[in-house]
Amino acid sequence: MHILRTAILAACFLSFSAHAAPVPVPAEKMAYVGDWQGQDMRLQLAKDGKVKYKRDRPNKKMDLSLDLQGFDGDNFDVGVTLVRSTFVVSKPPHRVGGKWKMTVDGVELTRVD
Protein backbone atom coordinates (compact mmCIF):
# COMPACT_ATOMS: atom_id res chain seq x y z
CA MET A 1 0.00 0.00 0.00
CA HIS A 2 2.87 2.40 0.82
CA ILE A 3 4.45 1.79 -2.60
CA LEU A 4 1.14 2.49 -4.36
CA ARG A 5 0.64 5.75 -2.45
CA THR A 6 4.21 6.85 -3.25
CA ALA A 7 3.67 6.04 -6.93
CA ILE A 8 0.42 8.04 -7.01
CA LEU A 9 2.04 11.02 -5.27
CA ALA A 10 5.00 10.89 -7.65
CA ALA A 11 2.67 10.77 -10.68
CA CYS A 12 0.70 13.75 -9.35
CA PHE A 13 3.89 15.72 -8.72
CA LEU A 14 5.24 14.96 -12.19
CA SER A 15 2.00 15.93 -13.91
CA PHE A 16 1.77 19.09 -11.77
CA SER A 17 5.33 20.14 -12.45
CA ALA A 18 5.29 19.21 -16.14
CA HIS A 19 5.63 22.07 -18.55
CA ALA A 20 2.20 23.34 -19.53
CA ALA A 21 1.50 24.80 -22.94
CA PRO A 22 1.28 28.57 -23.18
CA VAL A 23 -2.14 30.20 -23.01
CA PRO A 24 -3.04 31.88 -26.32
CA VAL A 25 -3.76 35.61 -26.14
CA PRO A 26 -7.53 36.12 -25.78
CA ALA A 27 -9.33 38.08 -28.54
CA GLU A 28 -9.98 41.07 -26.26
CA LYS A 29 -6.23 41.38 -25.51
CA MET A 30 -4.90 41.22 -29.11
CA ALA A 31 -3.60 44.80 -28.79
CA TYR A 32 -0.85 43.33 -26.53
CA VAL A 33 0.50 41.16 -29.36
CA GLY A 34 3.63 42.44 -31.03
CA ASP A 35 7.23 43.48 -30.62
CA TRP A 36 7.47 46.19 -27.94
CA GLN A 37 10.64 48.18 -27.30
CA GLY A 38 11.64 50.81 -24.78
CA GLN A 39 14.60 52.03 -22.74
CA ASP A 40 16.76 48.92 -22.13
CA MET A 41 13.73 46.62 -22.53
CA ARG A 42 12.20 44.49 -25.28
CA LEU A 43 9.02 42.45 -24.92
CA GLN A 44 7.65 40.23 -27.67
CA LEU A 45 4.24 38.63 -27.25
CA ALA A 46 2.93 36.23 -29.89
CA LYS A 47 -0.73 35.25 -30.45
CA ASP A 48 0.07 31.68 -29.39
CA GLY A 49 1.24 32.88 -25.94
CA LYS A 50 4.98 32.70 -26.46
CA VAL A 51 6.78 35.57 -24.73
CA LYS A 52 10.36 36.79 -25.20
CA TYR A 53 11.70 39.28 -22.71
CA LYS A 54 15.01 41.15 -22.72
CA ARG A 55 16.07 43.72 -20.18
CA ASP A 56 19.47 45.29 -19.65
CA ARG A 57 20.20 46.87 -16.30
CA PRO A 58 23.57 47.61 -14.72
CA ASN A 59 25.04 44.29 -13.55
CA LYS A 60 21.82 42.47 -14.49
CA LYS A 61 20.90 41.32 -17.98
CA MET A 62 17.90 39.13 -18.71
CA ASP A 63 17.05 37.29 -21.91
CA LEU A 64 14.15 34.91 -21.34
CA SER A 65 11.68 32.86 -23.36
CA LEU A 66 8.51 32.29 -21.36
CA ASP A 67 4.93 31.14 -21.76
CA LEU A 68 1.88 33.30 -21.17
CA GLN A 69 -0.11 31.94 -18.22
CA GLY A 70 -3.01 34.41 -18.48
CA PHE A 71 -4.23 37.96 -17.91
CA ASP A 72 -5.44 39.56 -14.70
CA GLY A 73 -7.02 42.84 -15.75
CA ASP A 74 -4.34 44.72 -17.68
CA ASN A 75 -1.48 42.70 -16.12
CA PHE A 76 -0.33 39.36 -17.44
CA ASP A 77 1.43 36.38 -15.93
CA VAL A 78 4.24 34.46 -17.60
CA GLY A 79 6.29 31.50 -16.52
CA VAL A 80 7.73 28.07 -17.04
CA THR A 81 6.94 25.05 -14.93
CA LEU A 82 6.28 26.25 -11.36
CA VAL A 83 7.95 29.64 -11.69
CA ARG A 84 5.65 32.58 -12.48
CA SER A 85 6.05 36.30 -12.75
CA THR A 86 3.60 39.15 -13.32
CA PHE A 87 4.17 41.95 -15.79
CA VAL A 88 2.48 45.01 -14.29
CA VAL A 89 0.84 47.08 -17.01
CA SER A 90 0.14 50.59 -15.71
CA LYS A 91 -0.93 51.85 -19.16
CA PRO A 92 -2.42 49.21 -21.48
CA PRO A 93 -1.86 49.41 -25.25
CA HIS A 94 -3.11 52.70 -26.66
CA ARG A 95 -2.43 54.91 -29.66
CA VAL A 96 -0.33 58.05 -29.41
CA GLY A 97 -0.28 59.68 -32.82
CA GLY A 98 0.35 56.84 -35.24
CA LYS A 99 2.16 54.59 -32.75
CA TRP A 100 1.02 51.99 -30.23
CA LYS A 101 2.38 52.44 -26.70
CA MET A 102 2.01 50.76 -23.31
CA THR A 103 3.79 51.00 -19.97
CA VAL A 104 5.02 47.74 -18.45
CA ASP A 105 6.91 47.52 -15.16
CA GLY A 106 7.41 51.28 -15.26
CA VAL A 107 8.91 51.34 -18.77
CA GLU A 108 7.11 53.01 -21.67
CA LEU A 109 7.22 50.67 -24.67
CA THR A 110 6.43 51.36 -28.32
CA ARG A 111 5.25 48.61 -30.65
CA VAL A 112 7.58 48.16 -33.60
CA ASP A 113 5.79 46.99 -36.74
Side-chain angles (χ1 to χ4, degrees), residues 27-88:
E28 67 274 11
K29 298 292 186 182
M30 280 297 158
Y32 285 75
V33 172
D35 185 355
W36 299 87
Q37 294 183 23
Q39 174 111 19
D40 302 322
M41 183 173 165
R42 184 173 185 181
L43 179 66
Q44 296 171 289
L45 179 57
K47 291 178 188 177
D48 65 359
K50 294 289 187 180
V51 179
K52 290 187 179 184
Y53 173 68
K54 289 184 182 182
R55 189 139 189 206
D56 292 332
R57 293 180 177 171
N59 301 321
K60 191 177 193 182
K61 292 184 184 227
M62 286 190 268
D63 188 350
L64 305 169
S65 292
L66 305 160
D67 292 335
L68 180 66
Q69 301 297 312
F71 281 84
D72 181 14
D74 293 330
N75 302 332
F76 56 97
D77 295 325
V78 298
V80 288
T81 326
L82 298 175
V83 179
R84 283 185 167 218
S85 184
T86 299
F87 282 92
V88 177

